[in-house]
Structures are given as C-alpha cells and as structure tokens.
Amino acid sequence: MSRADLVYYTVLVEAGPSLRLHTHTHTHTHPVSVSLGSRRVLELLQLLCLCSGASDSPDMMPNTRLGKRSPFGLLVGSSCPESNKTSIAKATGTGQQGISRIRGHCDLKVYFQCGGAGDSQNDTVAKSTSCSRSISSCIDVPRSRTAQQEVDMDELMAAMVLSSLSCSPPPALQVSAHKQTAAPSMDSGTIELSDSSSSGYWSVDRGPRNPAPPSPTAEANGRSPTPPDEGLDMDLDQVLFEEPAPRKRRNSLKVAYRCLWPSCGKVLTSLVGIKRHIRTVHLCQGGEHERCSRSEEDFYYSEINQWDEPRHQSPPSAPLCGPVPTSPTPSPPPPFPPSPPSPNCSALSRSAPSPCSSLWQVQSEHSYQAPPPGHTVSPAAATSCVTALPTICSRQETVSRVRSVSVGEQWLQHQSAPCRRIRSEAKKCRKVYGIEHRELWCTACRWKKACQRFLD
DNA sequence: AGTGCCGGGAT
DNA sequence: ATCCCGGCACT
C-alpha cells in the first residue's frame, strides 16, 4: 500500500466535551469543523480506546508524539493539562489493532492509520504536535492488559467504521480552518474534523501544493497548516452517522453504504436500509437487546462513494481535447495509438500524444509553434480542456480507502512517457523547398521544430 | 537513411 | 524570445 493511502487521525477530546478529528496524509490538511453530540463523542472515543487495546500505564504515554515521519506518532494535546492527558490510539485500516492510553476526558489524540506502511512523506503527523521524537515505523503496539487478543467485535467494528469514514473523501465537509487552540471549545458537542487527506480521487487538481510542512510550533499552537477557514460547523451525526447533506455532495457522486459486519459486506444505497440491515440481521440476533439500541448500527456500516458514469463527457469536437486514453490508475498510460486524425481536431490535437500533454505543450511551446489564426487555442478552449480533465476519473469507483493519483501526477507520468507527434503526411518546408533552399523554410523547420507553415 | 520535431542549451 | 542543435521516433 502506498503512502498515499495513509490517513492519520487525530482525535482531540476537550472539555465540554468537544472532539477534534484530524486526518493526515503526506500532503496538506483540510480542517473541517463538525459538531457531534457529546454522548457520541464519548462513545466513539471509548470504543476507539477499547478497540485499540487501551492501556492505562502512564509509562506508555509519551509526552511527545512519535517520530516526525512515523505513522505511529502520538502526542497528547498540548492544550490540555498533564493531568488530563488521556489516550492515544492507533489502529490499522482494518481496525485489527491499535494502541491507546489513559482514559481521560479532557484531551485525547488518536492516531491510527487506515492501512499501509509509514513513509517518510508522512511528516504531516509531525506537524500536528509541538514536540516529536524519532521512532521507527515498526514499533511494538502496546496491548491492553485485559483481553488483548480478543478485542470485542463491536469495538473493533466501531474503529473500522470510524477509520473508513475518515478515509472517505470528505465531500460533505466544508473545509474550515482548524482552530485547535489552547483554549478548547467549551460548547459541548463540537467536533473539528481536520482532514489533511489529499486523497487523490476527489481532488482533481489542487494546484501548487505547499511544499513546506507547517512548523510544529504552529501545530502545537493548534493552528492548522491549511488556508483560512471558510468552515461551518456541522452536526457530527450528519458527518459520522448520518447521510451527508446532498447539497454538499459533488455532482453525480453516488453514495452507498457497506455493512462492515464480518463476512457480510452488504452494500445498500440507502442509509435507512443499511441501518435496518445491521439492526435486524446482525445486532438483534440472538436476543442481544442491548445491541439494538438506537444508533448502534451506525458503527457497522461505512459510506462508500461512487461517481456516476460517465461523470463528464468532454465534447468530441473540443479542440485539443481528443479521446482521453488515460487511466485513473497510477499505472503508466498506454502508448499513444497512432489513430487517424479526426476531422474535428486541429493539427496540434491530432499530432499531440495526449490531450493533456498537448495542452501543456501548447502553453509552453515556443512562439513559433503557435498555431495559425484558424487554430488559435483560446484560453477558453484551454480551460475547457483543463476542466475536462476530471473525466479521466469518471469511471473510477471512489471507494473509501482507495486513492488514485492526482491529475498532476498523471501529467507527470505523461511527461515521463515518450510522446511525440505522429508523423505528418503533409508537406513540410524541407520537402517543399529542399535542403538547398533552407532559407525558405519556416523558422520552425529551420530550428528543427514542428513546422508551422504546413500544418497537418 | 531521411525526416519530423522534442527537449534543452546558448544568447 | 530567439536561435540552434542533439537525439529520438518514425518512415
């Protein structure tokens, strides 16, 4: 699993209680603020702690987060008094294991990964805390003293649910500046969910990223490395346990719900349906009445997103935007087929190896390669191509925990791949004038560039 | 081998 | 921005 699949969660429970949940990947963060009922917060955290094998031994509680680039980093929030430092938890994406610490009620940070191994790029974990220490990415996971080997399935599933949920793209969450200040929010039931995940499949092109990781000091002060907040508080039930508001959802993004009950995996498209399924099929089996409590089923399903197909169809006659052979997967794109030129395409579009690369080439090419007036690439056309780029992801099922490469990465792949113009059948200056009349060639031909006089 | 032209260096 | 060329892909 690639480092991009890693998502780290920082759960901060502050007096009130309020909960802050951060997700980190190797890229930047997206603070999101949501609200959650205090009971839910406590339930969630309790389940997380239990699931991860809570340990109360204080010696296991470092004052600092683990390694700067370690996925297992942890730190108790600096905003909380020592006495209130509570617990950390780490769990894999499958929720099999984790570590957690003291039971507290003030400040809690939970780090767990959704899967994969740590990577040196995951310095975002380090950003979230003030102090850090280096630690190997392979550390022994402390187990709880009691029943380490047999974690209660409910708790396990709860962690899985949270894990999958947090791994899911946060389309329904409005990004907000994370104001994790030393003064914890006192309004009960407030959750700040900072999502640093740049899970690629739903970020088409984020543009230039901030390569400089935020300073740990800033993190220690509870400031998010993300841009200023446009955020809004949301009901955490809506985020964690209920169907997200449709208005927040991207176009054509279908939502389904997968049952996380072991050996089930049933997928239903309605929230009510999945809840009923869990409640009736799993929870209420064997007369476990207490499990039939309301909202219990919330922990046993995860939301999965799926794009409509096709999400966006670029016009076939769009200049420079021919068929898109690219794949949403990180695998290298197939070699450009020397397909016959389309009558609707300009010379550039036909000769370019790929729509994306052609676009960029046009924008960066020398001026002598500028197409004739009839083939002028207007900014609008270029924009249309750019905006059509998400098409490459149209067939991608954006299931949680699945990350695709970003458009930028795909573009880099294209650049790395050999791409040349298809050999032109048209006359060129060399053919027309001959090598002996080189002075009659267009400058492009003279400079061994693409002929601008006899365009294809 | 001839051709087209990409990529990059030099100015 | 312009000029130039090495080198590669293709015919």
Side-chain angles (χ1 to χ4, degrees):
Chain A
M1 189 173 294
S2 66
R3 60 179 173 84
D5 297 318
L6 288 176
V7 178
Y8 297 89
Y9 304 89
T10 301
V11 180
L12 289 150
V13 180
E14 297 175 346
S18 65
L19 179 65
R20 290 176 178 173
L21 202 156
H22 305 226
T23 64
H24 297 277
T25 62
H26 62 291
T27 56
H28 59 285
T29 61
H30 293 284
V32 176
S33 295
V34 294
S35 63
L36 172 67
S38 58
R39 188 180 64 85
R40 280 272 168 72
V41 173
L42 294 179
E43 288 178 358
L44 183 62
L45 293 172
Q46 187 177 21
L47 288 172
L48 271 175
C49 294
L50 290 174
C51 173
S52 58
S55 172
D56 291 340
S57 54
D59 55 302
M60 296 301 295
M61 185 48 147
N63 288 329
T64 63
R65 182 172 63 72
L66 295 187
K68 176 180 181 180
R69 292 174 179 262
S70 166
F72 307 114
L74 73 87
L75 171 67
V76 173
S78 59
S79 63
C80 184
E82 284 91 346
S83 58
N84 286 330
K85 291 180 179 177
T86 53
S87 69
I88 61 169
K90 170 180 71 69
T92 62
T94 52
Q96 293 92 342
Q97 59 177 319
I99 56 174
S100 67
R101 299 303 258 152
I102 313 165
R103 302 293 170 71
H105 43 276
C106 177
D107 197 29
L108 166 65
K109 280 195 176 182
V110 179
Y111 293 90
F112 62 95
Q113 61 180 98
C114 277
D119 185 277
S120 60
Q121 296 295 324
N122 288 295
D123 50 352
T124 53
V125 172
K127 304 173 197 169
S128 63
T129 60
S130 57
C131 14
S132 65
R133 62 174 178 174
S134 297
I135 249 192
S136 168
S137 61
C138 296
I139 60 174
D140 291 334
V141 177
R143 306 283 184 158
S144 67
R145 303 193 202 109
T146 61
Q148 296 95 331
Q149 303 302 326
E150 44 182 9
V151 179
D152 182 79
M153 186 55 65
D154 295 342
E155 299 154 358
L156 187 68
M157 295 305 296
M160 292 174 62
V161 169
L162 180 67
S163 172
S164 62
L165 176 139
S166 299
C167 286
S168 301
L173 304 181
Q174 175 161 344
V175 175
S176 66
H178 178 56
K179 295 181 173 54
Q180 177 183 335
T181 60
S185 169
M186 297 303 291
D187 55 335
S188 174
T190 295
I191 268 197
E192 295 183 13
L193 201 160
S194 300
D195 186 355
S196 68
S197 166
S198 65
S199 37
Y201 56 84
W202 70 305
S203 67
V204 173
D205 193 354
R206 287 176 297 276
R209 294 174 182 170
N210 183 10
S215 65
T217 305
E219 275 291 335
N221 293 336
R223 291 178 181 84
S224 167
T226 56
D229 190 345
E230 313 129 18
L232 83 164
D233 287 341
M234 297 178 61
D235 183 65
L236 185 59
D237 286 1
Q238 190 178 49
V239 175
L240 287 178
F241 303 100
E242 298 291 345
E243 186 171 9
R247 59 183 172 87
K248 300 281 185 182
R249 208 160 274 292
R250 295 198 172 191
N251 291 338
S252 306
L253 181 62
K254 290 181 176 178
V255 181
Y257 302 90
R258 174 173 294 159
C259 177
L260 296 178
W261 197 270
S263 305
C264 180
K266 188 177 183 62
V267 176
L268 295 175
T269 56
S270 75
L271 182 66
V272 176
I274 192 66
K275 284 185 175 182
R276 180 168 53 238
H277 162 79
I278 294 169
R279 183 169 54 248
T280 59
V281 176
H282 302 307
L283 292 181
C284 291
Q285 273 184 348
E288 295 181 11
H289 320 296
E290 65 278 6
R291 294 187 180 279
C292 297
S293 62
R294 188 181 172 278
S295 300
E296 181 72 13
E297 63 273 16
D298 290 334
F299 294 104
Y300 296 92
Y301 70 86
S302 69
E303 177 186 310
I304 58 177
N305 301 322
Q306 180 173 11
W307 291 105
D308 270 344
E309 170 188 358
R311 213 178 100 233
H312 178 73
Q313 194 77 20
S314 59
S317 62
L320 299 180
C321 290
V324 182
T326 55
S327 166
T329 63
S331 60
F336 180 71
S339 57
S342 166
N344 292 330
C345 292
S346 67
L348 281 176
S349 65
R350 273 179 285 138
S351 57
S354 78
C356 298
S357 59
S358 69
L359 169 64
W360 286 89
Q361 287 164 1
V362 166
Q363 291 176 336
S364 63
E365 198 49 90
H366 299 288
S367 59
Y368 51 72
Q369 287 187 280
H375 294 81
T376 300
V377 180
S378 65
T383 304
S384 68
C385 291
V386 171
T387 54
L389 288 178
T391 307
I392 61 181
C393 303
S394 61
R395 291 176 177 270
Q396 179 182 12
E397 183 186 13
T398 57
V399 181
S400 302
R401 303 191 186 90
V402 177
R403 183 189 179 275
S404 67
V405 294
S406 65
V407 170
E409 290 169 315
Q410 292 180 7
W411 177 76
L412 288 176
Q413 292 171 356
H414 275 285
Q415 295 304 300
S416 61
C419 53
R420 282 179 178 272
R421 291 191 174 197
I422 301 302
R423 196 174 194 80
S424 166
E425 299 297 328
K427 293 179 180 179
K428 298 297 178 185
C429 294
R430 179 192 295 264
K431 290 182 180 178
V432 173
Y433 303 109
I435 192 73
E436 62 278 9
H437 296 104
R438 196 169 185 267
E439 68 279 4
L440 298 178
W441 296 4
C442 66
T443 48
C445 283
R446 270 184 277 144
W447 300 336
K448 296 170 69 173
K449 298 291 183 181
C451 179
Q452 66 179 8
R453 181 171 298 173
F454 302 102
L455 297 171
D456 295 339

